[in-house]
Amino acid sequence: MSMNTDNGFSPVLSRRGFLAASASAAVLFAVGGFSCSAKTSSSPLGLPPLPYPENTLAPVISANAMGFHYGKHHKAYVDNLNQLIKGSEFENTPLEKIITATAGKEDQKAIFNNAAQSWNHAFYWRSLAPKGGGEPPAALKQKIEASFGSLDACKKALLNAAVTQFGSGWAWLVADSGTIKVIQTANAETPLTMGLKPLLTIDVWEHAYYLDYQNRRADYAAAVIDKLINWNFAAQNLV
Ligand code: MN
């Protein structure tokens, strides 16, 4: 898989679809729509590789912060999930299906939380790009303007969602039928369970920004939107 921002990633791509799209990457394979390279038979859901080296989002997100966020936090969700589903009905289930099957079920909350956080983080990494920001591709920009009035208004709504999400959670750009919307979710909640199509996301858990920004979540979110947001990825998800 190439390291550019047009990586062909789709949040709902089937295993077969992914393999077809990345036939040149023989060492990669897909689980639940994500590629992974360290699968073992006892670890059906792997930690997907970052789509770029972890020092390339600096100075907006430092290599140090990426190392902890991806290498510790994201990895822990994947590891926890694999422990939780070992020997269960979900052992060989694609990630998205685990999420939708466990959503809202009190007795499966731990599986849902770790599955959804695994998915949300993989989606978040692809929502960013080393040379992100700027303008969305024309088709997406047109839909954003139809929904928000202007790209600026959309970016302000996204920033506002990121800043005002109380406690841990996520700010999302989603498609709701033909309309583009900004939503917030708490903790591990994800638009996958809400009948909405996620286009991109910003992690606003404190672990996403505290090493670089301490309590200044607004500075983190504004810098991400201006410098890192991967509009190409959002446009690919819209199709
Ligand atoms: Mn996170």
Side-chain angles (χ1 to χ4, degrees), residues 56-231:
T56 51
L57 300 185
V60 177
I61 300 174
S62 69
N64 182 44
M66 286 295 288
F68 278 94
H69 197 177
Y70 171 72
K72 304 286 185 194
H73 290 276
H74 186 179
K75 182 176 186 299
Y77 294 124
V78 173
D79 290 347
N80 289 342
L81 177 62
N82 280 302
Q83 280 301 314
L84 287 163
I85 64 174
K86 207 181 217 172
S88 81
E89 62 191 294
F90 297 118
E91 190 154 9
N92 293 305
T93 308
L95 188 55
E96 289 90 345
K97 286 201 176 140
I98 297 175
I99 293 167
T100 50
T102 56
K105 294 184 178 162
E106 204 51 44
D107 60 332
Q108 292 180 322
K109 212 173 178 61
I111 294 179
F112 172 81
N113 283 338
N114 285 285
Q117 284 295 81
S118 295
W119 192 94
N120 290 348
H121 279 88
F123 194 79
Y124 169 60
W125 305 130
R126 287 163 175 80
S127 298
L128 309 178
K131 288 179 180 160
E135 298 246 320
L140 174 59
K141 191 179 178 198
Q142 197 173 23
K143 278 201 188 318
I144 284 174
E145 287 171 348
S147 301
F148 292 89
S150 68
L151 175 62
D152 243 24
C154 174
K155 287 161 70 173
K156 278 190 181 129
L158 193 57
L159 178 61
N160 187 56
V163 172
T164 62
Q165 168 58 34
F166 187 77
S168 297
W170 301 82
W172 303 84
L173 192 70
V174 300
D176 184 2
S177 301
T179 307
I180 311 294
K181 294 178 177 172
V182 165
I183 66 162
Q184 302 166 314
T185 63
N187 302 317
E189 296 295 332
T190 172
L192 283 183
T193 64
M194 302 170 186
L196 300 168
K197 187 188 276 190
L199 302 181
L200 59 79
T201 192
I202 301 172
D203 189 342
V204 298
W205 284 59
E206 279 191 348
H207 71 225
Y209 57 88
Y210 218 84
L211 286 176
D212 289 332
Y213 296 84
Q214 291 75 51
N215 61 317
R216 292 175 289 114
R217 186 196 287 186
D219 290 350
Y220 152 77
V224 163
I225 291 167
D226 282 344
K227 306 262 171 51
L228 299 183
I229 211 79
N230 188 345
W231 293 114

